[in-house]
PDB file of all heavy atoms in Angstrom:
ATOM      1  N   VAL P 276       1.915  -3.571  -2.108  1.00 99.00           N
ATOM      2  CA  VAL P 276       0.854  -4.449  -1.575  1.00 99.00           C
ATOM      3  C   VAL P 276       0.339  -3.836  -0.271  1.00 99.00           C
ATOM      4  O   VAL P 276       1.079  -3.696   0.694  1.00 99.00           O
ATOM      5  CB  VAL P 276       1.373  -5.871  -1.361  1.00 99.00           C
ATOM      6  CG1 VAL P 276       0.204  -6.772  -0.946  1.00 99.00           C
ATOM      7  CG2 VAL P 276       2.009  -6.387  -2.633  1.00 99.00           C
ATOM      8  N   GLY P 277      -0.931  -3.491  -0.307  1.00 98.00           N
ATOM      9  CA  GLY P 277      -1.564  -2.864   0.863  1.00 98.00           C
ATOM     10  C   GLY P 277      -1.879  -1.411   0.596  1.00 98.00           C
ATOM     11  O   GLY P 277      -1.003  -0.645   0.289  1.00 98.00           O
ATOM     12  N   GLY P 278      -3.164  -1.062   0.701  1.00 98.00           N
ATOM     13  CA  GLY P 278      -3.588   0.312   0.449  1.00 98.00           C
ATOM     14  C   GLY P 278      -3.895   1.064   1.711  1.00 98.00           C
ATOM     15  O   GLY P 278      -4.874   1.831   1.793  1.00 98.00           O
ATOM     16  N   GLY P 279      -3.087   0.865   2.742  1.00 98.00           N
ATOM     17  CA  GLY P 279      -3.187   1.691   3.966  1.00 98.00           C
ATOM     18  C   GLY P 279      -2.352   2.941   3.842  1.00 98.00           C
ATOM     19  O   GLY P 279      -1.878   3.242   2.738  1.00 98.00           O
ATOM     20  N   PRO P 280      -2.154   3.684   4.936  1.00 98.00           N
ATOM     21  CA  PRO P 280      -1.446   4.951   4.821  1.00 98.00           C
ATOM     22  C   PRO P 280      -0.008   4.779   4.286  1.00 98.00           C
ATOM     23  O   PRO P 280       0.445   5.591   3.483  1.00 98.00           O
ATOM     24  CB  PRO P 280      -1.410   5.478   6.252  1.00 98.00           C
ATOM     25  CG  PRO P 280      -1.769   4.310   7.124  1.00 98.00           C
ATOM     26  CD  PRO P 280      -2.633   3.433   6.312  1.00 98.00           C
ATOM     27  N   ALA P 281       0.682   3.703   4.698  1.00 98.00           N
ATOM     28  CA  ALA P 281       2.060   3.516   4.250  1.00 98.00           C
ATOM     29  C   ALA P 281       2.083   3.197   2.743  1.00 98.00           C
ATOM     30  O   ALA P 281       2.844   3.804   1.990  1.00 98.00           O
ATOM     31  CB  ALA P 281       2.734   2.403   5.048  1.00 98.00           C
ATOM     32  N   GLY P 282       1.234   2.271   2.313  1.00 98.00           N
ATOM     33  CA  GLY P 282       1.201   1.905   0.898  1.00 98.00           C
ATOM     34  C   GLY P 282       0.783   3.026  -0.023  1.00 98.00           C
ATOM     35  O   GLY P 282       1.379   3.253  -1.063  1.00 98.00           O
ATOM     36  N   PHE P 299      -1.986  -3.144  -4.817  1.00 98.00           N
ATOM     37  CA  PHE P 299      -2.972  -4.232  -4.706  1.00 98.00           C
ATOM     38  C   PHE P 299      -3.505  -4.221  -3.287  1.00 98.00           C
ATOM     39  O   PHE P 299      -2.761  -4.356  -2.317  1.00 98.00           O
ATOM     40  CB  PHE P 299      -2.325  -5.597  -5.031  1.00 98.00           C
ATOM     41  CG  PHE P 299      -1.919  -5.707  -6.465  1.00 98.00           C
ATOM     42  CD1 PHE P 299      -0.589  -5.612  -6.845  1.00 98.00           C
ATOM     43  CD2 PHE P 299      -2.869  -5.827  -7.445  1.00 98.00           C
ATOM     44  CE1 PHE P 299      -0.220  -5.685  -8.186  1.00 98.00           C
ATOM     45  CE2 PHE P 299      -2.545  -5.898  -8.797  1.00 98.00           C
ATOM     46  CZ  PHE P 299      -1.182  -5.810  -9.140  1.00 98.00           C
ATOM     47  N   GLU P 300      -4.811  -4.046  -3.220  1.00 98.00           N
ATOM     48  CA  GLU P 300      -5.477  -4.012  -1.899  1.00 98.00           C
ATOM     49  C   GLU P 300      -6.545  -5.091  -1.903  1.00 98.00           C
ATOM     50  O   GLU P 300      -7.392  -5.147  -2.830  1.00 98.00           O
ATOM     51  CB  GLU P 300      -6.086  -2.605  -1.683  1.00 98.00           C
ATOM     52  CG  GLU P 300      -7.095  -2.537  -0.515  1.00 98.00           C
ATOM     53  CD  GLU P 300      -6.548  -3.014   0.799  1.00 98.00           C
ATOM     54  OE1 GLU P 300      -5.509  -2.498   1.240  1.00 98.00           O
ATOM     55  OE2 GLU P 300      -7.153  -3.915   1.399  1.00 98.00           O
ATOM     56  N   ARG P 301      -6.505  -5.947  -0.893  1.00 98.00           N
ATOM     57  CA  ARG P 301      -7.447  -7.091  -0.935  1.00 98.00           C
ATOM     58  C   ARG P 301      -8.873  -6.682  -0.616  1.00 98.00           C
ATOM     59  O   ARG P 301      -9.823  -7.356  -1.018  1.00 98.00           O
ATOM     60  CB  ARG P 301      -6.955  -8.184   0.011  1.00 98.00           C
ATOM     61  CG  ARG P 301      -7.031  -7.830   1.453  1.00 98.00           C
ATOM     62  CD  ARG P 301      -6.469  -8.930   2.320  1.00 98.00           C
ATOM     63  NE  ARG P 301      -6.347  -8.418   3.661  1.00 98.00           N
ATOM     64  CZ  ARG P 301      -5.653  -8.989   4.611  1.00 98.00           C
ATOM     65  NH1 ARG P 301      -4.985 -10.073   4.348  1.00 98.00           N
ATOM     66  NH2 ARG P 301      -5.613  -8.495   5.790  1.00 98.00           N
ATOM     67  N   ASN P 302      -9.072  -5.620   0.177  1.00 98.00           N
ATOM     68  CA  ASN P 302     -10.431  -5.193   0.476  1.00 98.00           C
ATOM     69  C   ASN P 302     -11.012  -4.405  -0.714  1.00 98.00           C
ATOM     70  O   ASN P 302     -10.254  -3.985  -1.609  1.00 98.00           O
ATOM     71  CB  ASN P 302     -10.454  -4.278   1.713  1.00 98.00           C
ATOM     72  CG  ASN P 302     -10.225  -5.094   2.966  1.00 98.00           C
ATOM     73  OD1 ASN P 302     -10.705  -6.190   3.090  1.00 98.00           O
ATOM     74  ND2 ASN P 302      -9.478  -4.517   3.894  1.00 98.00           N
ATOM     75  N   HIS P 304     -12.180  -1.562  -0.298  1.00 97.00           N
ATOM     76  CA  HIS P 304     -11.924  -0.164   0.013  1.00 97.00           C
ATOM     77  C   HIS P 304     -10.445   0.040   0.345  1.00 97.00           C
ATOM     78  O   HIS P 304      -9.788  -0.882   0.813  1.00 97.00           O
ATOM     79  CB  HIS P 304     -12.748   0.293   1.202  1.00 97.00           C
ATOM     80  CG  HIS P 304     -12.521  -0.509   2.452  1.00 97.00           C
ATOM     81  ND1 HIS P 304     -13.257  -1.629   2.754  1.00 97.00           N
ATOM     82  CD2 HIS P 304     -11.571  -0.377   3.407  1.00 97.00           C
ATOM     83  CE1 HIS P 304     -12.790  -2.142   3.875  1.00 97.00           C
ATOM     84  NE2 HIS P 304     -11.776  -1.406   4.304  1.00 97.00           N
ATOM     85  N   GLY P 306      -7.410   2.433   2.386  1.00 98.00           N
ATOM     86  CA  GLY P 306      -7.314   3.192   3.653  1.00 98.00           C
ATOM     87  C   GLY P 306      -6.808   2.364   4.837  1.00 98.00           C
ATOM     88  O   GLY P 306      -6.384   2.924   5.831  1.00 98.00           O
ATOM     89  N   GLY P 307      -6.910   1.067   4.750  1.00 98.00           N
ATOM     90  CA  GLY P 307      -6.431   0.181   5.838  1.00 98.00           C
ATOM     91  C   GLY P 307      -6.971   0.638   7.175  1.00 98.00           C
ATOM     92  O   GLY P 307      -8.196   0.822   7.386  1.00 98.00           O
ATOM     93  N   GLY P 308      -6.048   0.920   8.107  1.00 97.00           N
ATOM     94  CA  GLY P 308      -6.464   1.261   9.466  1.00 97.00           C
ATOM     95  C   GLY P 308      -6.695   2.751   9.696  1.00 97.00           C
ATOM     96  O   GLY P 308      -6.813   3.181  10.845  1.00 97.00           O
ATOM     97  N   ILE P 309      -6.751   3.517   8.615  1.00 97.00           N
ATOM     98  CA  ILE P 309      -6.943   4.976   8.859  1.00 97.00           C
ATOM     99  C   ILE P 309      -8.353   5.285   9.345  1.00 97.00           C
ATOM    100  O   ILE P 309      -8.543   6.033  10.309  1.00 97.00           O
ATOM    101  CB  ILE P 309      -6.707   5.824   7.560  1.00 97.00           C
ATOM    102  CG1 ILE P 309      -5.375   5.591   6.928  1.00 97.00           C
ATOM    103  CG2 ILE P 309      -6.834   7.314   7.903  1.00 97.00           C
ATOM    104  CD1 ILE P 309      -5.162   6.353   5.627  1.00 97.00           C
ATOM    105  N   LEU P 370      -8.166  -7.500  -4.742  1.00 98.00           N
ATOM    106  CA  LEU P 370      -7.130  -8.436  -5.172  1.00 98.00           C
ATOM    107  C   LEU P 370      -6.117  -8.654  -4.042  1.00 98.00           C
ATOM    108  O   LEU P 370      -5.554  -7.702  -3.520  1.00 98.00           O
ATOM    109  CB  LEU P 370      -6.406  -7.910  -6.409  1.00 98.00           C
ATOM    110  CG  LEU P 370      -7.133  -8.125  -7.729  1.00 98.00           C
ATOM    111  CD1 LEU P 370      -6.510  -7.299  -8.853  1.00 98.00           C
ATOM    112  CD2 LEU P 370      -7.173  -9.620  -8.095  1.00 98.00           C
ATOM    113  N   SER P 371      -5.934  -9.905  -3.734  1.00 98.00           N
ATOM    114  CA  SER P 371      -5.075 -10.276  -2.633  1.00 98.00           C
ATOM    115  C   SER P 371      -3.758 -10.782  -3.181  1.00 98.00           C
ATOM    116  O   SER P 371      -3.755 -11.516  -4.177  1.00 98.00           O
ATOM    117  CB  SER P 371      -5.804 -11.397  -1.886  1.00 98.00           C
ATOM    118  OG  SER P 371      -5.302 -11.546  -0.630  1.00 98.00           O
ATOM    119  N   VAL P 372      -2.649 -10.412  -2.562  1.00 98.00           N
ATOM    120  CA  VAL P 372      -1.339 -10.982  -2.969  1.00 98.00           C
ATOM    121  C   VAL P 372      -1.077 -12.198  -2.114  1.00 98.00           C
ATOM    122  O   VAL P 372      -1.010 -12.131  -0.871  1.00 98.00           O
ATOM    123  CB  VAL P 372      -0.225  -9.947  -2.849  1.00 98.00           C
ATOM    124  CG1 VAL P 372       1.138 -10.583  -3.034  1.00 98.00           C
ATOM    125  CG2 VAL P 372      -0.461  -8.825  -3.872  1.00 98.00           C
ATOM    126  N   GLU P 373      -0.957 -13.385  -2.766  1.00 97.00           N
ATOM    127  CA  GLU P 373      -0.825 -14.588  -1.961  1.00 97.00           C
ATOM    128  C   GLU P 373       0.582 -15.218  -2.069  1.00 97.00           C
ATOM    129  O   GLU P 373       0.881 -16.168  -1.373  1.00 97.00           O
ATOM    130  CB  GLU P 373      -1.897 -15.611  -2.372  1.00 97.00           C
ATOM    131  CG  GLU P 373      -1.856 -15.991  -3.848  1.00 97.00           C
ATOM    132  CD  GLU P 373      -2.756 -17.214  -4.137  1.00 97.00           C
ATOM    133  OE1 GLU P 373      -3.965 -17.094  -3.940  1.00 97.00           O
ATOM    134  OE2 GLU P 373      -2.206 -18.235  -4.601  1.00 97.00           O
ATOM    135  N   ALA P 412       3.482  -3.460   2.258  1.00 99.00           N
ATOM    136  CA  ALA P 412       2.819  -2.490   3.141  1.00 99.00           C
ATOM    137  C   ALA P 412       1.542  -3.121   3.648  1.00 99.00           C
ATOM    138  O   ALA P 412       0.458  -2.527   3.650  1.00 99.00           O
ATOM    139  CB  ALA P 412       2.539  -1.187   2.392  1.00 99.00           C
ATOM    140  N   THR P 413       1.624  -4.408   4.049  1.00 98.00           N
ATOM    141  CA  THR P 413       0.445  -5.175   4.400  1.00 98.00           C
ATOM    142  C   THR P 413       0.025  -4.976   5.870  1.00 98.00           C
ATOM    143  O   THR P 413      -0.817  -5.709   6.368  1.00 98.00           O
ATOM    144  CB  THR P 413       0.655  -6.683   4.129  1.00 98.00           C
ATOM    145  OG1 THR P 413       1.758  -7.153   4.905  1.00 98.00           O
ATOM    146  CG2 THR P 413       0.897  -6.963   2.672  1.00 98.00           C
ATOM    147  N   GLY P 414       0.638  -4.001   6.566  1.00 98.00           N
ATOM    148  CA  GLY P 414       0.229  -3.708   7.936  1.00 98.00           C
ATOM    149  C   GLY P 414       0.722  -4.762   8.907  1.00 98.00           C
ATOM    150  O   GLY P 414       1.766  -5.383   8.692  1.00 98.00           O
ATOM    151  N   HIS P 415      -0.043  -4.946   9.988  1.00 97.00           N
ATOM    152  CA  HIS P 415       0.394  -5.776  11.095  1.00 97.00           C
ATOM    153  C   HIS P 415       0.827  -7.195  10.685  1.00 97.00           C
ATOM    154  O   HIS P 415       1.668  -7.798  11.310  1.00 97.00           O
ATOM    155  CB  HIS P 415      -0.725  -5.882  12.158  1.00 97.00           C
ATOM    156  CG  HIS P 415      -1.091  -4.547  12.727  1.00 97.00           C
ATOM    157  ND1 HIS P 415      -0.697  -4.119  13.972  1.00 97.00           N
ATOM    158  CD2 HIS P 415      -1.820  -3.513  12.206  1.00 97.00           C
ATOM    159  CE1 HIS P 415      -1.129  -2.893  14.199  1.00 97.00           C
ATOM    160  NE2 HIS P 415      -1.814  -2.509  13.126  1.00 97.00           N
ATOM    161  N   GLU P 416       0.286  -7.700   9.589  1.00 97.00           N
ATOM    162  CA  GLU P 416       0.602  -9.090   9.182  1.00 97.00           C
ATOM    163  C   GLU P 416       1.973  -9.275   8.582  1.00 97.00           C
ATOM    164  O   GLU P 416       2.569 -10.328   8.688  1.00 97.00           O
ATOM    165  CB  GLU P 416      -0.415  -9.528   8.135  1.00 97.00           C
ATOM    166  CG  GLU P 416      -1.806  -9.682   8.649  1.00 97.00           C
ATOM    167  CD  GLU P 416      -2.815  -9.884   7.532  1.00 97.00           C
ATOM    168  OE1 GLU P 416      -2.552 -10.631   6.591  1.00 97.00           O
ATOM    169  OE2 GLU P 416      -3.839  -9.213   7.569  1.00 97.00           O
ATOM    170  N   SER P 418       2.672  -9.883   5.599  1.00 98.00           N
ATOM    171  CA  SER P 418       2.474 -11.191   5.009  1.00 98.00           C
ATOM    172  C   SER P 418       3.447 -11.549   3.914  1.00 98.00           C
ATOM    173  O   SER P 418       3.743 -12.707   3.705  1.00 98.00           O
ATOM    174  CB  SER P 418       1.013 -11.384   4.556  1.00 98.00           C
ATOM    175  OG  SER P 418       0.722 -10.485   3.549  1.00 98.00           O
ATOM    176  N   LEU P 419       3.955 -10.555   3.180  1.00 98.00           N
ATOM    177  CA  LEU P 419       4.884 -10.866   2.098  1.00 98.00           C
ATOM    178  C   LEU P 419       6.230 -11.282   2.667  1.00 98.00           C
ATOM    179  O   LEU P 419       6.874 -12.231   2.162  1.00 98.00           O
ATOM    180  CB  LEU P 419       5.068  -9.722   1.141  1.00 98.00           C
ATOM    181  CG  LEU P 419       3.812  -9.204   0.459  1.00 98.00           C
ATOM    182  CD1 LEU P 419       4.181  -8.279  -0.680  1.00 98.00           C
ATOM    183  CD2 LEU P 419       2.981 -10.346  -0.029  1.00 98.00           C
ATOM    184  N   GLU P 450       7.164   5.190  16.982  1.00 95.00           N
ATOM    185  CA  GLU P 450       7.348   6.285  15.977  1.00 95.00           C
ATOM    186  C   GLU P 450       8.830   6.514  15.744  1.00 95.00           C
ATOM    187  O   GLU P 450       9.242   6.815  14.618  1.00 95.00           O
ATOM    188  CB  GLU P 450       6.699   7.565  16.490  1.00 95.00           C
ATOM    189  CG  GLU P 450       5.191   7.597  16.334  1.00 95.00           C
ATOM    190  CD  GLU P 450       4.732   7.915  14.918  1.00 95.00           C
ATOM    191  OE1 GLU P 450       4.893   9.058  14.436  1.00 95.00           O
ATOM    192  OE2 GLU P 450       4.211   6.982  14.284  1.00 95.00           O
ATOM    193  N   ALA P 467       7.412  -1.626   4.672  1.00 98.00           N
ATOM    194  CA  ALA P 467       7.019  -0.251   5.089  1.00 98.00           C
ATOM    195  C   ALA P 467       5.832  -0.304   6.054  1.00 98.00           C
ATOM    196  O   ALA P 467       5.102  -1.279   6.089  1.00 98.00           O
ATOM    197  CB  ALA P 467       6.626   0.565   3.835  1.00 98.00           C
ATOM    198  N   GLY P 468       5.688   0.764   6.812  1.00 98.00           N
ATOM    199  CA  GLY P 468       4.530   0.923   7.726  1.00 98.00           C
ATOM    200  C   GLY P 468       4.555  -0.100   8.837  1.00 98.00           C
ATOM    201  O   GLY P 468       5.610  -0.532   9.294  1.00 98.00           O
ATOM    202  N   MET P 469       3.367  -0.505   9.302  1.00 98.00           N
ATOM    203  CA  MET P 469       3.283  -1.451  10.419  1.00 98.00           C
ATOM    204  C   MET P 469       3.982  -2.767  10.106  1.00 98.00           C
ATOM    205  O   MET P 469       4.468  -3.470  10.991  1.00 98.00           O
ATOM    206  CB  MET P 469       1.808  -1.738  10.780  1.00 98.00           C
ATOM    207  CG  MET P 469       1.242  -0.874  11.877  1.00 98.00           C
ATOM    208  SD  MET P 469       2.332  -0.494  13.260  1.00 98.00           S
ATOM    209  CE  MET P 469       2.470  -2.059  14.070  1.00 98.00           C
ATOM    210  N   ALA P 470       4.046  -3.111   8.814  1.00 98.00           N
ATOM    211  CA  ALA P 470       4.721  -4.341   8.444  1.00 98.00           C
ATOM    212  C   ALA P 470       6.206  -4.275   8.874  1.00 98.00           C
ATOM    213  O   ALA P 470       6.801  -5.262   9.302  1.00 98.00           O
ATOM    214  CB  ALA P 470       4.612  -4.598   6.938  1.00 98.00           C
ATOM    215  N   ARG P 479       3.924  -1.377  18.487  1.00 95.00           N
ATOM    216  CA  ARG P 479       2.844  -0.728  17.717  1.00 95.00           C
ATOM    217  C   ARG P 479       2.631   0.654  18.314  1.00 95.00           C
ATOM    218  O   ARG P 479       3.002   0.927  19.449  1.00 95.00           O
ATOM    219  CB  ARG P 479       1.574  -1.567  17.784  1.00 95.00           C
ATOM    220  CG  ARG P 479       0.987  -1.696  19.160  1.00 95.00           C
ATOM    221  CD  ARG P 479      -0.135  -2.655  19.209  1.00 95.00           C
ATOM    222  NE  ARG P 479      -1.182  -2.274  18.260  1.00 95.00           N
ATOM    223  CZ  ARG P 479      -2.402  -2.812  18.202  1.00 95.00           C
ATOM    224  NH1 ARG P 479      -2.750  -3.708  19.106  1.00 95.00           N
ATOM    225  NH2 ARG P 479      -3.294  -2.429  17.301  1.00 95.00           N
ATOM    226  N   MET P 480       1.970   1.539  17.515  1.00 94.00           N
ATOM    227  CA  MET P 480       1.843   2.911  18.047  1.00 94.00           C
ATOM    228  C   MET P 480       0.434   3.451  18.056  1.00 94.00           C
ATOM    229  O   MET P 480       0.212   4.602  18.405  1.00 94.00           O
ATOM    230  CB  MET P 480       2.801   3.863  17.347  1.00 94.00           C
ATOM    231  CG  MET P 480       2.630   4.019  15.870  1.00 94.00           C
ATOM    232  SD  MET P 480       3.264   2.603  15.019  1.00 94.00           S
ATOM    233  CE  MET P 480       4.913   3.065  14.606  1.00 94.00           C
ATOM    234  N   GLY P 481      -0.570   2.637  17.702  1.00 93.00           N
ATOM    235  CA  GLY P 481      -1.941   3.110  17.798  1.00 93.00           C
ATOM    236  C   GLY P 481      -2.209   4.243  16.801  1.00 93.00           C
ATOM    237  O   GLY P 481      -1.597   4.302  15.734  1.00 93.00           O
ATOM    238  N   PRO P 482      -3.134   5.195  17.188  1.00 93.00           N
ATOM    239  CA  PRO P 482      -3.649   6.125  16.174  1.00 93.00           C
ATOM    240  C   PRO P 482      -2.763   7.355  15.916  1.00 93.00           C
ATOM    241  O   PRO P 482      -3.255   8.394  15.523  1.00 93.00           O
ATOM    242  CB  PRO P 482      -4.992   6.548  16.748  1.00 93.00           C
ATOM    243  CG  PRO P 482      -4.816   6.381  18.212  1.00 93.00           C
ATOM    244  CD  PRO P 482      -3.861   5.265  18.457  1.00 93.00           C
ATOM    245  N   ILE P 483      -1.427   7.197  16.104  1.00 96.00           N
ATOM    246  CA  ILE P 483      -0.515   8.260  15.664  1.00 96.00           C
ATOM    247  C   ILE P 483       0.058   7.810  14.330  1.00 96.00           C
ATOM    248  O   ILE P 483       0.518   6.689  14.203  1.00 96.00           O
ATOM    249  CB  ILE P 483       0.548   8.605  16.735  1.00 96.00           C
ATOM    250  CG1 ILE P 483       1.404   9.765  16.279  1.00 96.00           C
ATOM    251  CG2 ILE P 483       1.416   7.395  17.094  1.00 96.00           C
ATOM    252  CD1 ILE P 483       2.105  10.486  17.433  1.00 96.00           C
ATOM    253  N   PHE P 484      -0.060   8.647  13.287  1.00 97.00           N
ATOM    254  CA  PHE P 484       0.142   8.157  11.931  1.00 97.00           C
ATOM    255  C   PHE P 484       1.340   8.742  11.195  1.00 97.00           C
ATOM    256  O   PHE P 484       1.607   8.391  10.051  1.00 97.00           O
ATOM    257  CB  PHE P 484      -1.120   8.404  11.088  1.00 97.00           C
ATOM    258  CG  PHE P 484      -2.120   7.295  11.247  1.00 97.00           C
ATOM    259  CD1 PHE P 484      -2.859   7.167  12.406  1.00 97.00           C
ATOM    260  CD2 PHE P 484      -2.360   6.396  10.209  1.00 97.00           C
ATOM    261  CE1 PHE P 484      -3.782   6.150  12.558  1.00 97.00           C
ATOM    262  CE2 PHE P 484      -3.281   5.350  10.353  1.00 97.00           C
ATOM    263  CZ  PHE P 484      -3.990   5.222  11.522  1.00 97.00           C
ATOM    264  N   MET P 487       3.791   6.250   9.796  1.00 98.00           N
ATOM    265  CA  MET P 487       3.294   5.461   8.610  1.00 98.00           C
ATOM    266  C   MET P 487       3.529   6.241   7.330  1.00 98.00           C
ATOM    267  O   MET P 487       3.953   5.699   6.345  1.00 98.00           O
ATOM    268  CB  MET P 487       1.776   5.197   8.741  1.00 98.00           C
ATOM    269  CG  MET P 487       1.364   4.349   9.929  1.00 98.00           C
ATOM    270  SD  MET P 487       2.123   2.742   9.834  1.00 98.00           S
ATOM    271  CE  MET P 487       3.022   2.740  11.372  1.00 98.00           C
TER     272      MET P 487
HETATM  273  O1  LIG H 179      -3.141  -1.966   8.166  1.00 68.62           O
HETATM  274  P1  LIG H 179      -2.779  -0.845   7.294  1.00 68.62           P
HETATM  275  O2  LIG H 179      -3.427   0.452   7.501  1.00 68.62           O
HETATM  276  O3  LIG H 179      -1.165  -0.731   7.342  1.00 68.62           O
HETATM  277  P2  LIG H 179      -0.172   0.518   7.341  1.00 68.62           P
HETATM  278  O4  LIG H 179      -0.303   1.292   6.079  1.00 68.62           O
HETATM  279  O5  LIG H 179      -0.786   1.463   8.500  1.00 68.62           O
HETATM  280  C1  LIG H 179      -1.013   0.977   9.803  1.00 68.62           C
HETATM  281  C2  LIG H 179      -2.081   1.886  10.450  1.00 68.62           C
HETATM  282  O6  LIG H 179      -3.269   1.881   9.665  1.00 68.62           O
HETATM  283  C3  LIG H 179      -2.455   1.484  11.862  1.00 68.62           C
HETATM  284  C4  LIG H 179      -1.407   1.756  12.857  1.00 68.62           C
HETATM  285  C5  LIG H 179      -0.796   3.146  12.923  1.00 68.62           C
HETATM  286  O7  LIG H 179      -0.078   3.269  14.041  1.00 68.62           O
HETATM  287  O8  LIG H 179      -1.092   0.888  13.627  1.00 68.62           O
HETATM  288  O9  LIG H 179      -2.827   0.129  11.896  1.00 68.62           O
HETATM  289  O10 LIG H 179       1.115   0.017   7.760  1.00 68.62           O
HETATM  290  O11 LIG H 179      -3.006  -1.245   5.777  1.00 68.62           O
HETATM  291  C6  LIG H 179      -2.591  -2.482   5.258  1.00 68.62           C
HETATM  292  C7  LIG H 179      -3.473  -2.838   4.106  1.00 68.62           C
HETATM  293  O12 LIG H 179      -2.908  -3.978   3.461  1.00 68.62           O
HETATM  294  C8  LIG H 179      -3.990  -4.825   3.040  1.00 68.62           C
HETATM  295  C9  LIG H 179      -5.022  -4.688   4.136  1.00 68.62           C
HETATM  296  O13 LIG H 179      -6.314  -5.038   3.696  1.00 68.62           O
HETATM  297  C10 LIG H 179      -4.889  -3.208   4.516  1.00 68.62           C
HETATM  298  O14 LIG H 179      -5.796  -2.414   3.779  1.00 68.62           O
HETATM  299  N1  LIG H 179      -3.430  -6.167   2.876  1.00 68.62           N
HETATM  300  C11 LIG H 179      -2.884  -6.942   3.852  1.00 68.62           C
HETATM  301  N2  LIG H 179      -2.433  -8.082   3.327  1.00 68.62           N
HETATM  302  C12 LIG H 179      -2.684  -8.043   2.006  1.00 68.62           C
HETATM  303  C13 LIG H 179      -3.314  -6.809   1.691  1.00 68.62           C
HETATM  304  C14 LIG H 179      -2.441  -8.929   0.907  1.00 68.62           C
HETATM  305  N3  LIG H 179      -1.864 -10.106   1.098  1.00 68.62           N
HETATM  306  N4  LIG H 179      -2.824  -8.546  -0.329  1.00 68.62           N
HETATM  307  C15 LIG H 179      -3.452  -7.340  -0.536  1.00 68.62           C
HETATM  308  N5  LIG H 179      -3.711  -6.462   0.460  1.00 68.62           N
END
Side-chain angles (χ1 to χ4, degrees):
V276 185
F299 293 105
E300 166 54 56
R301 68 183 170 196
N302 287 323
H304 58 269
I309 305 177
L370 280 167
S371 199
V372 170
E373 59 169 61
T413 60
H415 299 257
E416 293 168 45
S418 63
L419 301 193
E450 283 281 290
M469 266 321 290
R479 65 187 304 192
M480 62 285 265
I483 184 158
F484 275 72
M487 296 300 120

